[in-house]
Amino acid sequence: SGANRQAVQQVDLDGDGVDETLVFCKQEGERPLKLLIFRRVEDNYEQVCTLEGDGSAFDSVQYAQLDGQPGQEILLSRRIGEQVQRFLSVYTMTGQDVYELMNSGYTACTVSDLDGDQRDDIFVLRANSEGLRAYAELYRFRDGELRKDAETSLSTDADSVKRILTGSNAENIPAVFVASAFDESNLITDVFALKQDVFTNLTQNAESGQSSQTVRNYYVYSTDIDSDKLIELPDTVPLRSVEGDEQSYGQYRIIWYNLNLDGTRSDKISTYHNFAEGWFLYLPEDW
């Protein structure tokens, strides 16, 4: 999955201006998944290392700037059988050596600079072994190593996650927006960000443990609806039906709002969406 699907890829891992070549292989026997890394030496290539791992297939590979040094780190995900759980390993290349910075099982992950230090952070969702709500972890590079912040819970289990979006909320604070199926007809959105440098679910109710204010009976996702470079969340409001017109039943207008760092909302605009035909219109305030 993801953008990098080729069996052979080229990327500058050590920041010297010359791309390294990465070859993804699968062989028989133990630890069948192998990543071979080659570097260019004049007109030839020499092998730097072979990274081996268990699993049935490579699930994805991403490249990110985690440590603030020249070059990029490798985020390599492997699929373990047919399970929902996947396994993430993060590697960095320094000189002639490749080091593993972290490894973790996960169900979904993304990369975003949540603390604004110009270095990417790793957002990871993990399933609860007891079948309860999933939880989120944030890994940040600090004091020369990739460290995990205190984890925080999701409103649902990991299998319910439908979409993950990164962006900024109303106070221009980077955040991760996780939309999940709440039941057969409802979506719920959890918003994760750093609040006073503490990794927090901004929408979570302390008593229920769920983001009850973001539940909606309409499958519409958070987006930058007004192109202001901030992510808006949707809130659905039923429209009045017209007697004798069956098509007027079950129609909604959507109020789009930004979520503030203190959990309050700032309403922005209203729209009407026709998802079947793929169009929407902005509703003027006086309507």
Side-chain angles (χ1 to χ4, degrees), residues 136-183:
E137 298 176 340
L138 183 67
Y139 291 85
R140 293 190 283 167
F141 201 90
R142 290 174 292 178
D143 299 326
E145 61 182 1
L146 203 56
R147 294 184 177 181
K148 183 179 76 171
D149 283 57
E151 63 192 40
T152 183
S153 62
L154 194 70
S155 294
T156 61
D157 59 58
D159 294 343
S160 302
V161 174
K162 297 296 183 182
R163 186 173 297 182
I164 299 178
L165 177 68
T166 60
S168 295
N169 63 13
E171 298 182 31
N172 204 27
I173 302 297
V176 178
F177 302 78
V178 181
S180 307
F182 187 62
D183 53 33

Side-chain angles (χ1 to χ4, degrees), residues 110 112 114-115 121-124 136-140 142 147-152 176 193-194 198-200:
T110 190
S112 180
L114 289 186
D115 56 10
D121 308 313
I122 303 175
F123 175 89
V124 173
E137 298 176 340
L138 183 67
Y139 291 85
R140 293 190 283 167
R142 290 174 292 178
R147 294 184 177 181
K148 183 179 76 171
D149 283 57
E151 63 192 40
T152 183
V176 178
L194 290 170
V198 177
F199 185 50
T200 306

